[in-house]
Amino acid sequence: MTALSAYGLELRGRLHATNLELHAGRLTLLVGPNGAGKTSLIHRLAGIGEGGGTTLIGGEPLAAMPPVMRIGRLALLPATREIAWPLLARDLVALGLGGRRDPSAVEKILDSLDALQFADRRMDQLSTGERARVLLARTLVAEPAVLLLDEPAAHLDPARQIAMIERLRREAFRGAAVLASIHDLALARGFADRVLVMDQGRIVADGAPAQALAPDVVQSVFGVRWDSESGWVKA
Amino acid sequence: MNRFWWILLVAAMSSAAFASLILPATGLATLYRSDPDLLAAILTEVRLPRVLLALFYGAMLGGSGAAIQALFANPLASPDITGTTGGAALGSVVTAYLIGFSGPLGLAFGGVAGAALALLLLLGLAGRDSDSATLLLAGVAISAVAGAATALALALAPSPFAFYEAYDWLMGSLVDRSLPQAAMVAVPVLGALLFLIGRSHALDMLALGEAAAEAMGHRVSRLRREVVIATAIGIGMAVAVCGAVGFVGLVAPIFARRLTHAHPGRAILPAAMIGAVLLCLADVLVRFAPAGRQLPIGVVTALLGAPFFLALVLRMRLEWRG
């Protein structure tokens, strides 16, 4: 089932006319070198920024959806992890409900991310890994139909990166359409249902991981190849 | 914020207003016996406008301070520190002394235009999410330019007494204002504050960052315009009548966010209430100046607020080193 469909998404100089459909129950991972337009694509999908294109969520145009209608339909985890105010972790997660008061939903999601023990700590007092879990909890708390995440695994150690992606798989299993950008090609290959490869503002490969991340694609887009002894080496 | 704090804030506002109405109380009792009509006139025509101006101006400073801090994602932004009141003062001075529209409407228009200009300049120079140093530097630059330009405008003014006339007003004064003048401040301030309070939820969401708030359906560029316009109208009108008063807009939101568990948007209403209390109390303090001297209220708020500001900067510095 198509959860999100987008047509003609553009952002001047960063993203060229792009069409994309995301399907419910599937985890799509987005890879590409720095500056390839991953963030621009995610932002335009969420209707952020001045540029062309239309996004439909559940068949309805996103642009016409007021805030209250977006809760449970769309959530975005931005790349910046800085929170300017010393909010309590549980209060930050509650913002994801858009004003609806539901402390039990907040505790449930924090618990499922193993973050309940610091629910009453301030955001500025949490470690990077703890903060990442709280910010993820904020995006998940309303059980959105479409989840867009800009580098959710950034700044995490390898085990936590895997835990993060596994969590996103669970969201897909729940029925969400999940799109996340990621730098680790091995993770993308291992966990995604579908991989999008971006380069210079365009999607240049789209498909099953093995096919989208074929050696020739990786070499031409990233300029690296896999060496069984040394890992990634310059091509 | 629980009910206890709301009740406490309302009680603090009422007691500050009452204190402002009856203090200093010496002679009031005698007057009540000898000439009750005169007493009534003093209370309604001399003191009441002063109380109302303190309440509404203070509320505007506190409420718009909270909104601007939420918008800039920075606890150091505020209409007084970062140049909005200075811009409003400049606007009023230019309209009154250089253009020659010294009527209340001319002053008000100049105040609103000056405040809007200063805010837009701040947005242009610092923008959102800029670090505190950039924001403060931009604010200091705007304040300095506004102050210098105000002095220049007064020096070039046709009236040789311009400096002398404007001094009292520039430093902030609630003395000798009429009820219509109080209404001229109260009405736009009430409108602007209600409008800003209506944006509380969106400004709370902005705590998640601009992109997250946009994805949730809050239009950040429109929100920014709305906060700037509402603040310019409220602050501009208040400055046109009462002059520039500092530090209340910085301090009140900081206290208010302690009550709202750091939520920047829902701090607007409590910040307005705290601002009203602070300015009211500062105005009471002013009356205990040595007999025959007028103490500008802006001097009192600055003397009380500046140490607080320094403590805040010091704490941020320690946290950065952290």
Side-chain angles (χ1 to χ4, degrees), chain A residues 34-82:
Chain A
N34 293 331
K38 301 187 294 294
T39 297
S40 302
L41 175 61
I42 289 175
H43 279 191
R44 289 301 300 135
L45 281 171
I48 302 170
E50 304 290 321
T54 316
T55 300
L56 304 177
I57 289 184
E60 292 176 62
L62 176 66
M65 274 184 211
V68 57
M69 272 184 73
R70 295 193 185 194
I71 303 297
R73 285 194 167 79
L74 170 74
L76 166 80
L77 179 72
T80 49
R81 304 287 190 266
E82 290 300 317

Side-chain angles (χ1 to χ4, degrees), chain B:
Chain B
M1 208 170 124
N2 57 33
R3 195 174 298 162
F4 168 77
W5 284 107
W6 287 117
I7 294 171
L8 196 72
L9 281 180
V10 171
M13 272 175 77
S14 336
S15 0
F18 183 69
S20 173
L21 203 57
I22 62 153
L23 288 176
T26 39
L28 287 189
T30 340
L31 201 57
Y32 177 68
R33 265 172 262 124
S34 61
D35 194 347
D37 286 347
L38 181 62
L39 176 70
I42 287 177
L43 289 185
T44 55
E45 281 165 38
V46 178
R47 289 205 178 161
L48 187 62
R50 202 166 162 171
V51 175
L52 291 176
L53 281 172
L55 286 176
F56 280 100
Y57 192 4
M60 189 63 216
L61 283 169
S64 66
I68 290 179
Q69 291 179 3
L71 192 68
F72 279 93
N74 196 317
L76 292 178
S78 81
D80 31 26
I81 300 296
T82 43
T84 315
T85 50
L90 173 64
S92 290
V93 164
V94 166
T95 331
Y97 288 100
L98 291 188
I99 307 179
F101 293 130
S102 54
L105 275 181
L107 285 173
F109 179 78
V112 172
L117 213 63
L119 273 167
L120 291 177
L121 205 59
L122 187 67
L123 269 172
L125 285 173
R128 200 190 128 76
D129 275 340
S130 59
D131 56 286
S132 299
T134 314
L135 182 79
L136 274 185
L137 279 176
V140 166
I142 293 167
S143 294
V145 169
T150 305
L152 184 70
L154 289 173
L156 296 179
S159 157
F161 304 110
F163 254 117
Y164 182 74
E165 286 169 11
Y167 174 78
D168 259 355
W169 169 80
L170 273 179
M171 298 300 288
S173 173
L174 312 176
V175 186
D176 296 335
R177 304 297 193 268
S178 65
L179 270 178
Q181 274 179 307
M184 210 175 100
V185 172
V187 172
V189 160
L190 205 61
L193 275 178
L194 287 175
F195 187 84
L196 289 177
I197 289 165
R199 301 297 172 274
S200 290
H201 178 68
L203 287 167
D204 271 346
M205 292 304 163
L206 207 50
L208 297 168
E210 230 167 278
E214 287 259 1
M216 295 177 101
H218 301 285
R219 307 250 282 280
V220 176
S221 53
R222 197 175 75 186
L223 186 64
R224 188 181 290 136
R225 263 199 313 277
E226 290 172 342
V227 170
V228 165
I229 291 170
T231 301
I233 289 174
I235 293 291
M237 294 298 281
V239 170
V241 173
C242 309
V245 172
F247 289 99
V248 173
L250 174 82
V251 174
I254 292 172
F255 285 130
R257 275 193 304 272
R258 305 217 141 210
L259 305 181
T260 62
H261 296 284
H263 288 84
R266 62 190 80 157
I268 293 176
L269 178 56
M273 296 168 88
I274 293 172
V277 173
L278 287 179
L279 201 58
C280 226
L281 292 181
D283 182 48
V284 171
L285 221 58
V286 162
R287 298 173 203 176
F288 292 95
R293 300 294 173 105
Q294 281 282 7
L295 203 57
I297 190 167
V299 171
V300 175
T301 58
L303 281 178
L304 294 177
F308 186 87
F309 180 64
L310 289 176
L312 185 71
V313 171
L314 197 68
R315 210 183 68 193
M316 290 181 89
R317 218 184 86 170
L318 291 177
E319 275 172 16
W320 278 335
R321 273 192 193 159

Side-chain angles (χ1 to χ4, degrees), chain A residues 5 8 14 32-33 48 62 101 107 117 124 143 164 191 210 224:
Chain A
S5 43
R14 294 182 175 269
I48 302 170
L62 176 66
R101 269 186 60 80
E107 296 203 343
Q117 66 272 24
D124 55 334
E143 305 198 329
M164 171 70 77
F191 286 90
V224 295

